[in-house]
Amino acid sequence: MQKTILFSIFLSSLIYQNNTTAQTKHFQGNWTKLETTYDFKFDLFLEFTGGNQVKGVFHWELVNYDENFQFSKDYYENKIGLQAKEYVRGTYDPATKQYILKGYKKDDPHSIIGLDLYRIKESDKGDIGGDTKANNSWQGRINGQAVLINQV
């Protein structure tokens, strides 16, 4: 009887741990824009909130401005290394492994980012890639890798 109870507790803890892990994802990568030298690195944390709904936050860091555009150089050159947060929410389709995310709020004291719209596909290995609206151009590119989230 005692072995059955202990086994049930053990099994329940495994199920709970797996559900917790499946509910939050972490990705690291870069955002670029076609025909520019813009480069932002990111950490993206996504939480599954029920059904196909997700919410999350991008932690952005400016790596490089567009060297082909004088305004970009003038505006961003002294902001390299600065950081901002963009809060997103959207949907995940498990059949296509696609996220549709929309930025709705930001913490950006240095004015280095804009809110964006993202179409991101997750590979079988857990990596992500896709495009972003990028000021109505759809020339933004996002690529990242899954990061294992440690359980406490």
Side-chain angles (χ1 to χ4, degrees), residues 30-117:
N30 288 75
W31 178 93
T32 57
K33 187 174 179 185
L34 295 176
E35 301 177 15
T36 74
T37 59
Y38 280 118
D39 187 7
F40 286 78
K41 69 180 179 179
F42 70 83
D43 276 275
L44 170 60
F45 296 89
L46 287 176
E47 177 184 344
F48 292 78
T49 58
N52 66 345
Q53 300 297 301
V54 293
K55 69 177 182 177
V57 61
F58 277 100
H59 295 259
W60 293 107
E61 181 179 327
L62 176 61
V63 176
N64 198 42
Y65 54 86
D66 183 4
E67 297 167 358
N68 304 314
F69 186 38
Q70 187 63 43
F71 174 79
S72 176
K73 180 180 190 296
D74 294 343
Y75 185 78
Y76 286 111
E77 187 172 32
N78 63 348
K79 296 183 179 193
I80 290 176
L82 296 180
Q83 300 175 353
K85 291 181 185 177
E86 178 184 11
Y87 299 89
V88 296
R89 56 183 158 222
T91 59
Y92 174 71
D93 181 349
T96 62
K97 295 186 177 186
Q98 184 171 22
Y99 296 92
I100 303 295
L101 304 173
K102 182 176 183 178
Y104 67 91
K105 180 176 90 169
K106 61 182 181 166
D107 292 331
D108 186 11
H110 309 289
S111 298
I112 61 169
I113 64 168
L115 299 177
D116 212 344
L117 181 63

Side-chain angles (χ1 to χ4, degrees), residues 9-22:
I9 293 170
F10 173 73
L11 187 58
S12 295
S13 70
L14 285 179
I15 292 169
Y16 176 76
Q17 184 178 14
N18 286 339
N19 285 342
T20 301
T21 303

